[in-house]
């Protein structure tokens, strides 16, 4: 276990701190090889399938990344991460990093892999595994054509919104939520990379307590979540509020990055893109509201004469007690954010 944790953390750290494309690639490979046993641990057919899908997509993305960096070194004689100047190499590199993050149009692996993983593993893939590729994208954002970034971003927002609407499995729903959020991040990477990084940091802060609460309650489907109010009302309402926060509904924390992003788009005279993103955010809001409605306003059918079941004492992780208020009420700090 210690070796795996060390591999996952060290791989990401190497990628974040490297200035050479080969060391960045080695870090990503270390990270990928360390997480494969974590995904395949449950020893079920679904987890084996998820591991295979994850390995194949990440391997293809790594090959594309190596191709782009080699082409760049061949043409310019430079392996520096920030010196990716050729438009073809930047396009290949952006596609590779989008594939590693699970952005559209190379998003197909993400819902399947999350569905085949445990909730803790799904949390790891949704948050920590995105840090390294996003950092690399941030580093090359000055040289990347904005059209490509915005196309990938808007496609991801559409796919993430429409894909999540018909889901009954919470892990798949959160996978599409992740695709949607990555879309916002990549769109902003073309205009203001700092706000894009703030958006992904906010997303990680909001998603972590949501997954931890679901793990504590052992909820994996909408049917499970409709019954959790009988055992732990507090945790149930926490999930609902966190979902509303992730959707970007004011006055929760999730609204702050969306407000800053739309403000920046309007400042840059990109009114059409700003309007489009605002309309598309309503699609994802629909499936979050559906879950919140199911949790808060509907009483699930029950054969029991008592309104509540026996309640077990749930030990809430300390991390959750810190992150949940942050994920719900940090909007007050928005004016102090230097961007």
């Amino acid at each position: 276990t210690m070796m795996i944790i060390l591999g996952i953390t060290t791989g990401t750290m190497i990628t974040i701190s490297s200035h050479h494309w080969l060391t960045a690639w080695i870090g990503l490979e270390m990270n990928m090889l360390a997480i494969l046993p974590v995904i395949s641990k449950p020893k079920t057919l679904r987890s084996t399938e998820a591991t295979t899908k994850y390995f194949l997509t990440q391997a293809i993305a790594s090959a594309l990344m190596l191709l782009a960096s080699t082409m760049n070194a061949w043409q310019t004689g430079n392996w520096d991460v920030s010196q990716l100047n050729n438009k073809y190499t930047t396009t290949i590199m952006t596609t590779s990093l989008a594939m590693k993050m699970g952005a559209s149009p190379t998003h197909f692996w993400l819902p399947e892999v999350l569905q085949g993983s445990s909730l803790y593993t799904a949390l790891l893939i949704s948050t920590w595994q995105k840090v390294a590729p996003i950092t690399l994208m941030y580093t090359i954002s000055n040289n990347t054509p904005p059209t490509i970034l915005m196309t990938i971003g808007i496609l991801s927002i559409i796919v993430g919104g429409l894909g999540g609407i018909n889901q009954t499995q919470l892990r798949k729903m959160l996978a599409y939520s992740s695709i949607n959020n990555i879309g916002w991040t990549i769109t902003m990477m073309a205009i203001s990379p700092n706000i894009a990084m703030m958006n992904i940091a906010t997303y990680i802060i909001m998603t972590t307590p949501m997954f931890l609460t679901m793990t504590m309650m052992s909820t994996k489907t909408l049917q499970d979540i409709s019954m959790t109010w009988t055992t732990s009302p507090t945790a149930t309402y926490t999930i609902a509020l966190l979902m509303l926060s992730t959707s970007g509904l004011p006055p929760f924390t999730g609204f702050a990055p969306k407000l800053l992003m739309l403000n920046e788009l309007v400042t840059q005279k990109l009114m059409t893109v700003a309007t489009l993103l605002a309309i598309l955010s309503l699609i994802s809001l629909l499936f979050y509201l559906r879950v919140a409605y199911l949790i808060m306003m509907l009483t699930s059918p029950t054969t029991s004469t008592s309104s509540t079941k026996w309640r077990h004492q749930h030990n809430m992780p300390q991390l959750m007690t810190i992150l949940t208020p942050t994920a719900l009420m940090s909007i007050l700090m928005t004016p102090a954010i230097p961007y």
Side-chain angles (χ1 to χ4, degrees):
T1 307
M2 281 306 295
M3 285 291 288
I4 287 169
I5 292 168
L6 201 65
I8 291 169
T9 50
T10 311
T12 303
M13 291 301 176
I14 288 171
T15 305
I16 289 170
S17 56
S18 64
H19 294 283
H20 196 286
W21 276 116
L22 273 182
T23 46
W25 175 78
I26 288 165
L28 286 169
E29 289 304 294
M30 275 179 65
N31 181 281
M32 179 189 75
L33 292 171
I35 203 172
L36 292 178
V38 180
I39 303 171
S40 61
K41 190 174 181 285
K43 300 292 183 293
T44 59
L45 284 173
R46 288 211 78 131
S47 64
T48 312
E49 183 189 341
T51 311
T52 312
K53 283 179 177 173
Y54 186 80
F55 172 71
L56 289 173
T57 47
Q58 296 295 314
I60 293 164
S62 293
L64 282 172
M65 183 180 165
L66 207 55
L67 170 70
S69 52
T70 312
M71 278 172 66
N72 187 60
W74 186 31
Q75 288 176 339
T76 62
N78 199 336
W79 282 96
D80 198 308
V81 171
S82 58
Q83 300 299 317
L84 201 70
N85 298 325
N86 185 289
K87 65 175 180 180
Y88 298 111
T89 54
T90 48
T91 306
I92 296 169
M93 185 62 75
T94 306
T95 310
S96 148
L97 295 173
M99 194 172 189
K100 278 199 168 289
M101 286 185 270
S104 183
T106 49
H107 65 279
F108 297 102
W109 63 272
L110 188 61
E112 298 299 321
V113 169
L114 287 203
Q115 185 57 29
S117 315
S118 68
L119 283 164
Y120 277 127
T121 313
L123 167 64
L124 193 63
I125 294 167
S126 297
T127 54
W128 182 253
Q129 292 300 97
K130 288 186 167 51
V131 172
I134 279 183
T135 309
L136 286 175
M137 190 173 271
Y138 177 79
T139 313
I140 65 165
S141 59
N142 287 339
N143 301 320
T144 313
T147 319
I148 293 164
L149 287 173
M150 292 182 99
T151 307
I152 292 172
I154 290 166
L155 262 175
S156 299
I157 294 169
I158 294 168
V159 166
L162 293 176
I165 287 174
N166 206 28
Q167 297 300 331
T168 54
Q169 296 286 337
L170 287 173
R171 279 170 295 181
K172 275 196 175 179
M173 191 181 287
L174 289 171
Y176 282 108
S177 157
S178 174
I179 293 165
N180 180 278
N181 206 277
I182 283 291
W184 278 87
T185 305
I186 294 175
T187 306
M188 278 316 291
M189 206 63 89
I191 294 134
S192 175
N194 291 343
I195 296 179
M197 294 303 278
M198 179 219 163
N199 179 55
I200 199 70
T202 311
Y203 170 73
I204 289 170
I205 289 167
M206 291 185 296
T207 305
T208 307
M210 203 186 317
F211 271 110
L212 291 174
T213 313
M214 281 164 55
T215 310
M216 187 181 79
M217 300 294 296
S218 301
T219 52
K220 291 177 182 174
T221 62
L222 286 180
Q223 188 177 2
D224 290 345
I225 214 170
S226 66
M227 292 298 291
T228 50
W229 68 273
T230 58
T231 51
S232 179
T234 314
T236 311
Y237 293 134
T238 303
I239 292 176
L241 291 173
L242 286 167
M243 287 228 169
L244 292 177
S245 181
T246 314
S247 70
L249 202 70
F252 299 114
T253 305
F255 179 62
K258 281 192 169 56
L259 179 67
L260 291 178
M261 287 188 281
L262 291 175
N263 177 48
E264 187 64 25
L265 285 166
V266 172
T267 309
Q268 301 283 352
K269 303 286 190 289
L270 294 164
M271 297 297 290
T272 314
V273 179
T275 310
L276 183 65
L277 292 189
I279 292 167
L280 291 174
S281 68
L282 296 175
I283 303 173
S284 59
L285 179 64
L286 179 64
F287 69 81
Y288 289 116
L289 278 175
R290 179 164 153 252
V291 179
Y293 176 70
L294 186 71
I295 293 172
M296 291 178 157
M297 300 183 188
L298 290 182
T299 309
S300 55
T302 175
T303 52
S304 168
T305 50
S306 101
S307 60
T308 54
K309 295 183 197 173
W310 284 100
R311 294 186 185 177
H312 300 290
Q313 189 67 39
H314 292 292
N315 291 322
M316 195 173 277
Q318 286 182 343
L319 182 66
M320 218 164 88
T321 54
I322 299 162
L323 285 178
T324 305
T326 315
L328 292 175
M329 295 179 287
S330 294
I331 194 166
L332 301 171
M333 295 191 292
T334 311
I337 295 166
Y339 66 93

